[in-house]
Amino acid sequence: MVVSTFALLMAGFPVAFTLAGTSLAFALLGAAAGAFPLGLLGALPQNIYAIMTNEVLVAVPLFVFMGVMLERSRIAEDLLLSMGRAFGGRPGGLVRSVTIVGALLAASTGVVGATVVTMGLLALPTMLRSGYAPALATGSIAAAGTLGQIIPPSIVLIVLGDQIGIAYQNAQFEKGVFDPETVGVNELFAGALLPGLVLVGLYLAYQMAIAHLRPASAPALPAAEEAGPGAGRTLLRSLLAPVLLVVAVLGSILVGLATPAEAAGIGALGATMLAAHRMDRRRATPIVAGAAAFGALVLLARLFDLRLQRSAVPAADLAAIVLAFALAALLVWGTAVAFARVHRARDADGRPVLAAVARSTMVISAMIFAIVIGARLFSLVLRGYGGDDWIEAFLADLPGGATGAILAVMAVMFLLGFFLEFLEIVLIVVPVVAPILLKLDVPGGGAVDPVWLGVMMAMNLQTSFLTPPFGLALFYLRGVAPREVATLAIYRGVAPFVGLQLGALLLLWYLPGLATWLPEVLYGE
């Protein structure tokens, strides 16, 4: 069953239908041969119901909406052009700008395809025209685009966090702990933040070294293309909106003001307001007033008790409640104006921007949830055949105990990244191996930390976007790169960045505190 599934996936069949169809076919064959209990499939409806009622996964379509809205409204384009003009006058300035913009877009969208395509269309021609080596230019763009997988908020971290949380509870139940601790997506977000920033630092250090050692491959922009006197103000204006969105979304999750789904809703609304403001800056009053009202509402809720269901309401709280109603009305006004303005705007194909964003969000979200459901059926049938017991016995018998088992799983996930997408690996491999790894004891006592394991897997999966021949970032970039850029040059360009990712993975292995320190500080876990 496993071999057939991988063969069909590599042949290009749709992922969701391959997972579900192959699993169902082998379940029926096994039942006909008396080797599979067909009644086990009765658990599938409950599994699907659990998926569709999972509040964590509600964040997926909202974060997708936020990313697509920012891409369609060309906010990312403004940021990239402003950053390129500000730093392009220095050797290697353009590739460093691409990395910084990639990190900012990762923290505000988490959508890899949109980031790679946007930077490939805007930055790559400028870098090639300025004399940058094609390998360095394409490698920097592809690597910066994949930062959306490790820097939160990220679709892979949401799905992986959900799987790790379930696996951690199952591992504790099997160890006899019937009051299990929980691990949520917010812990994984906090754990991934520092390793993601370390990876950005490694990228920048490599690019600075190349600019110093081989200045001909990363020259400064010609004087005619350098930034003018107002470049600093333009850059600040372009940076302000994405940074505020990052603080609102990621900050609200990390400090406990909002769940990931609630923060995703904030991000979707914020991205719509930013898009509307960019489309008509002369009539910005409703948008600015709505955004300010939202911030004031959050502050008011922290300072006063706004509950109405009380027998006695102090005068100060009553005044705050009245003010909150006024602010809510202002927020509704700003939101209505923002959505109306985005709906009236037209994209390059002449369609309303809001409709195009909604359609893209629906298609991407439906694809993700279909894969999740197919993967649940795959895991169910695999367990029905005893595959999880075989894998557990295999990992437990490896030399080195938990260390050897984790190394083996990481090696398999890295190799699968050459052929499969990250979502397929998360939903096929993680539900099977994560409960087994979390049950093992590490040398010196204690169990494997679930946050550290999740961040290790996320960083490992990030390489699946860059590893030839099937890395998605390579396909995205090949689709928008000029014809004179050879595919081999793209492969050569990403090779050093794959090495840097593996170096960051090794650093995280020996310094697990990079992933566990911030969650412990924020949540005491």
Side-chain angles (χ1 to χ4, degrees):
M1 183 180 76
V2 173
V3 170
S4 299
T5 300
F6 285 150
L8 289 171
L9 288 174
M10 287 187 283
F13 284 89
V15 178
F17 302 121
T18 296
L19 290 173
T22 307
S23 306
L24 189 59
F26 274 87
L28 294 175
L29 286 173
F36 182 83
L38 201 58
L40 192 62
L41 295 183
L44 183 61
Q46 288 86 353
N47 270 275
I48 295 175
Y49 183 77
I51 292 168
M52 303 316 297
T53 56
N54 188 336
E55 291 187 6
V56 172
L57 296 181
V58 173
V60 171
L62 291 169
F63 275 130
V64 171
F65 180 94
M66 181 176 74
V68 176
M69 180 63 77
L70 289 176
E71 185 259 331
R72 291 296 179 99
S73 61
R74 306 180 76 173
I75 292 173
E77 178 180 331
D78 289 347
L79 180 61
L80 186 59
L81 292 175
S82 301
M83 190 78 73
R85 291 193 187 101
F87 296 101
R90 301 175 180 86
L94 284 180
V95 286
R96 294 200 296 274
S97 298
V98 161
T99 299
I100 295 170
V101 171
L104 286 172
L105 294 180
S108 54
T109 67
V111 180
V112 169
T115 304
V116 173
V117 169
T118 299
M119 294 196 295
L121 287 171
L122 298 175
L124 186 56
T126 302
M127 286 195 280
L128 295 177
R129 189 171 61 248
S130 302
Y132 275 71
L136 178 62
T138 55
S140 297
I141 290 173
T146 63
L147 290 171
Q149 296 307 296
I150 190 63
I151 296 179
S154 155
I155 302 301
V156 68
L157 288 178
I158 294 172
V159 179
L160 185 58
D162 180 60
Q163 297 293 330
I164 288 288
I166 295 170
Y168 189 45
Q169 288 194 350
N170 291 339
Q172 291 178 89
F173 281 136
E174 293 189 26
K175 292 175 75 172
V177 179
F178 297 106
D179 184 20
E181 298 177 7
T182 58
V183 172
V185 174
N186 52 340
E187 284 94 346
L188 202 59
F189 276 11
L193 186 57
L194 286 181
L197 294 178
V198 167
L199 192 59
V200 173
L202 290 175
Y203 286 178
L204 292 173
Y206 167 74
Q207 290 161 346
M208 291 173 68
I210 290 295
H212 177 72
L213 296 174
R214 297 204 305 262
S217 64
L221 278 177
E225 297 186 42
E226 288 186 25
R233 186 169 59 253
T234 304
L235 176 60
L236 182 62
R237 189 172 61 186
S238 301
L239 273 174
L240 188 60
V243 169
L244 285 176
L245 192 62
V246 169
V247 171
V249 174
L250 189 54
S252 62
I253 296 173
L254 295 183
V255 302
L257 282 177
T259 65
E262 292 165 346
I266 294 170
L269 178 58
T272 305
M273 286 184 162
L274 290 178
H277 180 265
R278 184 194 179 279
M279 291 168 185
D280 191 352
R281 288 193 172 96
R282 290 174 297 178
R283 294 186 294 171
T285 303
I287 310 299
V288 174
F294 177 78
L297 274 171
V298 174
L299 183 62
L300 207 61
R302 299 289 290 178
L303 297 177
F304 297 94
D305 187 350
L306 302 182
R307 292 175 301 158
L308 295 174
Q309 296 84 3
R310 290 182 286 169
S311 56
V313 181
D317 286 354
L318 185 60
I321 290 170
V322 172
L323 179 58
F325 273 112
L327 291 172
L330 201 59
L331 175 59
V332 170
W333 176 49
T335 302
V337 170
F339 275 96
R341 193 172 293 174
V342 174
H343 175 68
R344 286 195 302 268
R346 294 293 187 266
D347 63 8
D349 299 322
R351 297 174 299 176
V353 171
L354 184 60
V357 170
R359 182 179 179 84
S360 294
T361 301
M362 180 186 68
V363 170
I364 296 171
S365 301
M367 178 268 294
I368 291 173
F369 279 97
I371 294 175
V372 171
I373 292 170
R376 283 290 176 92
L377 179 56
F378 181 87
S379 298
L380 196 64
V381 176
L382 186 67
R383 287 188 171 91
Y385 277 116
D388 55 335
D389 295 329
W390 183 88
I391 294 171
E392 181 174 1
F394 173 77
L395 292 176
D397 291 340
L398 286 173
T403 301
I406 294 173
L407 286 174
V409 169
M410 289 296 163
V412 169
M413 292 177 73
F414 178 75
L415 292 174
L416 288 177
F418 283 76
F419 309 103
L420 303 180
E421 296 182 19
F422 74 94
L423 205 56
E424 300 162 23
I425 301 173
V426 169
L427 295 171
I428 295 173
V429 178
V430 175
V432 177
V433 301
I436 300 169
L437 296 178
L438 292 170
K439 281 193 300 183
L440 299 175
D441 293 325
V442 297
V448 177
D449 188 280
V451 174
W452 173 80
L453 181 64
V455 176
M456 286 282 290
M457 287 180 168
M459 189 168 285
N460 195 352
L461 287 169
Q462 188 186 351
T463 61
S464 67
F465 275 87
L466 290 180
T467 46
F470 300 117
L472 283 184
L474 308 182
F475 283 119
Y476 293 139
L477 188 57
R478 177 66 278 175
V480 298
R483 290 185 177 180
E484 60 266 22
V485 176
T487 301
L488 191 59
I490 298 177
Y491 288 174
R492 283 202 312 268
V494 298
F497 291 96
V498 172
L500 290 173
Q501 287 184 352
L502 294 177
L505 199 61
L506 194 63
L507 188 65
L508 187 58
W509 176 272
Y510 286 106
L511 295 175
L514 283 174
T516 58
W517 175 78
L518 190 56
E520 289 172 358
V521 170
L522 293 175
Y523 311 113
E525 299 177 0

